[in-house]
Amino acid sequence: EELAREEQFEVVIQVNGKVRGRLLVEEGVSREELTRRALAEPAVAQHVNGKSVVKTVVVPNRLVSIVVR
């Protein structure tokens, strides 16, 4: 049973260095998919809308950091 369990991780989402949300994701999700899911989160979207994304840093299974101006 333990081997059949799918690993999940809580990924922290930051916008300009401040925590704006968290995602529960499966192991092995691509960087592009993590970025897409992070930008789709309502709490994150309100801080990104109307601004341009300057940089996105993804640490798999841990963090998505978005820099906007």
Side-chain angles (χ1 to χ4, degrees):
E1 287 181 39
E2 196 68 31
L3 295 175
R5 189 180 62 141
E6 188 172 307
E7 289 292 321
Q8 289 194 331
F9 298 92
E10 184 177 61
V11 175
V12 175
I13 306 169
Q14 293 181 341
V15 177
N16 289 343
K18 296 184 176 128
V19 175
R20 301 297 185 188
R22 297 175 193 277
L23 284 175
L24 199 59
V25 297
E26 310 78 36
E27 186 175 15
V29 175
S30 70
R31 292 172 183 261
E32 294 80 16
E33 178 67 13
L34 279 174
T35 302
R36 189 186 64 71
R37 288 188 194 182
L39 291 170
E41 279 291 303
V44 174
Q46 79 181 39
H47 292 283
V48 175
N49 283 345
K51 300 176 183 172
S52 62
V53 175
V54 177
K55 186 175 184 179
T56 304
V57 177
V58 178
V59 179
N61 301 330
R62 293 197 186 262
L63 170 77
V64 177
S65 181
I66 303 165
V67 179
V68 296
R69 284 197 183 145

